[in-house]
Amino acid sequence: MSSKVLVWADILTAYALFVMMTYLTNVWSLTITHAAAIVNVFTGVAAIMPIGMTFLVDAFMGDYWMLLLSSLAFSFGMGSLTMSTPPVLSDVAAGNCGACKPLKPDCIGNTQKALFYTALALVAIGISGHITSLESFLKQQQEDNSEQLRPWQAAGGRRLGNSAPQGSPFTTICRVFVASASKMFRHLPPNDNQVPHTRSLRCFDKAAIVVETQNQEQNEKNRWTLCSLAEVEDTKSVVRMIPMWMTFIMCGVVISIGNTYFIEQAKDMNQKVGKWKIPLPIFKLFYDLVKDYFPNLYVKVTKLVIREKYIPPCGITAAMLFSILCCITAAEVETRRLDVVKRHGFDNSNDNNEKIPMSMFWLLPQFLLLGAV
């Protein structure tokens, strides 16, 4: 039950943060570029931090303690974010003079700003911790639930899924780098070709050279000067993937545009369908649906056409193509939107409540393409 609460908390938080861009531009009266910078830094930090947190989980903490600490950070972060909104501490921002109007820039004081930025840091930690450990924690719980446990065993914490740390792969990679660097000027043995290993990145093979001046026991004890061939090959695999990872930079740029400028486009457009006013997070729903179901559909379809080993590289190519199509679609929609703005004379309008007479669902195709990136 507790794991389901964490999942729902992540979903609700994602939809709440989806409108952060409009909150910063409407309530804080920030420029689009300033607000986009805040949103992109936040999402970037939340996406990168799992790398370091994975090391902590594997080497020291385990999934349970990571989830516990990240959930606490999540809770304090969302509480601070709530406290940073103008209606809560408006008197503090207005200096108790009553001049502050709720949800207006006058209500944003230093206290609110400090709470807001602190909240973003805590929420980023919470999101990163859940990305790191929640999925594996759920798998551990499912495995534990399949066993027949007595009540006192469950009460004793066996169902917590807190497996002991097994050591981090990042430590192994660092060991290979250190060991190969310490033997930089040593030559590979003449019988090197007889040992089965890959021929690329041979500089890392030196990490497996046994130093003759040390006995076998000394070599085995000092794990930072001698690595196994399997560890060297694993490190080579990671290094070979770096150029592929670099290709995702442009996909990340397109996604960051979707999290900021696409939302800013939608907020000034007509949000009504008949008499119903549709909230902006509806685009988040469509985006998540495509993001969740498209990869499985892609794998099933491509298996019928190409061999399985070619599916990942074709997937990367497809993601790049969808990024390009998303940008083209967004450019076409923005051109049409600007034409509507000019025709109705909204260029110099200061009325923030007046909407552009163009349905925001013109933006739906670019959000669907964004989900497929």
Side-chain angles (χ1 to χ4, degrees), residues 231-242:
E231 292 170 336
V232 171
E233 291 301 318
D234 289 342
T235 302
K236 286 183 179 181
S237 299
V238 173
V239 173
R240 289 193 202 99
M241 287 192 291
I242 292 177

Side-chain angles (χ1 to χ4, degrees), residues 144-333:
D144 289 343
N145 288 337
S146 64
E147 301 177 4
Q148 297 295 326
L149 299 181
R150 294 182 177 88
W152 60 83
Q153 288 178 318
R158 192 175 170 189
R159 285 188 185 272
L160 293 177
N162 186 26
S163 58
Q166 302 296 319
S168 173
F170 292 108
T171 304
T172 301
I173 294 172
C174 292
R175 285 177 49 232
V176 172
F177 273 90
V178 172
S180 59
S182 66
K183 303 170 187 175
M184 184 183 305
F185 300 105
R186 292 184 177 274
H187 297 288
L188 292 171
N191 60 346
D192 181 53
N193 294 329
Q194 300 176 7
V195 181
H197 65 286
T198 55
R199 306 299 301 168
S200 60
L201 299 172
R202 297 192 63 192
C203 58
F204 293 120
D205 292 340
K206 295 183 178 182
I209 296 177
V210 178
V211 179
E212 297 178 356
T213 57
Q214 298 178 349
N215 57 42
Q216 185 67 21
E217 185 179 354
Q218 288 176 324
N219 282 320
E220 290 178 355
K221 281 185 177 180
N222 195 346
R223 299 173 65 245
W224 289 88
T225 59
L226 181 64
C227 302
S228 66
L229 282 175
E231 292 170 336
V232 171
E233 291 301 318
D234 289 342
T235 302
K236 286 183 179 181
S237 299
V238 173
V239 173
R240 289 193 202 99
M241 287 192 291
I242 292 177
M244 181 187 69
W245 292 340
M246 299 296 289
T247 62
F248 297 140
I249 292 177
M250 289 311 300
C251 292
V253 171
V254 175
I255 292 173
S256 68
I257 294 173
N259 293 334
T260 53
Y261 294 104
F262 289 1
I263 308 300
E264 196 65 19
Q265 278 181 308
K267 80 165 189 179
D268 293 326
M269 299 171 72
N270 183 14
Q271 298 176 229
K272 290 187 176 181
V273 176
K275 295 182 179 180
W276 296 92
K277 184 178 180 180
I278 309 299
L280 292 180
I282 189 68
F283 290 122
K284 174 69 174 173
L285 175 62
F286 288 114
Y287 170 82
D288 285 342
L289 287 174
V290 176
K291 186 178 179 181
D292 291 339
Y293 291 103
F294 179 77
N296 294 330
L297 178 63
Y298 163 78
V299 172
K300 290 180 181 178
V301 172
T302 50
K303 275 185 178 180
L304 302 175
V305 181
I306 60 177
R307 295 166 62 181
E308 189 170 354
K309 69 177 183 178
Y310 296 117
I311 291 178
C314 289
I316 296 173
T317 305
M320 298 300 291
L321 290 175
F322 280 120
S323 299
I324 295 171
L325 290 174
C326 181
C327 292
I328 294 173
T329 304
E332 292 294 329
V333 173

Side-chain angles (χ1 to χ4, degrees), residues 1-10 64 67-68 71 130 134 137-138 141 145 159-161:
M1 181 65 182
S2 60
S3 58
K4 293 181 179 179
V5 172
L6 294 179
V7 173
W8 280 105
D10 285 351
Y64 173 74
L67 279 178
L68 178 62
S71 296
H130 286 192
L134 184 56
F137 180 77
L138 291 175
Q141 279 202 327
N145 288 337
R159 285 188 185 272
L160 293 177

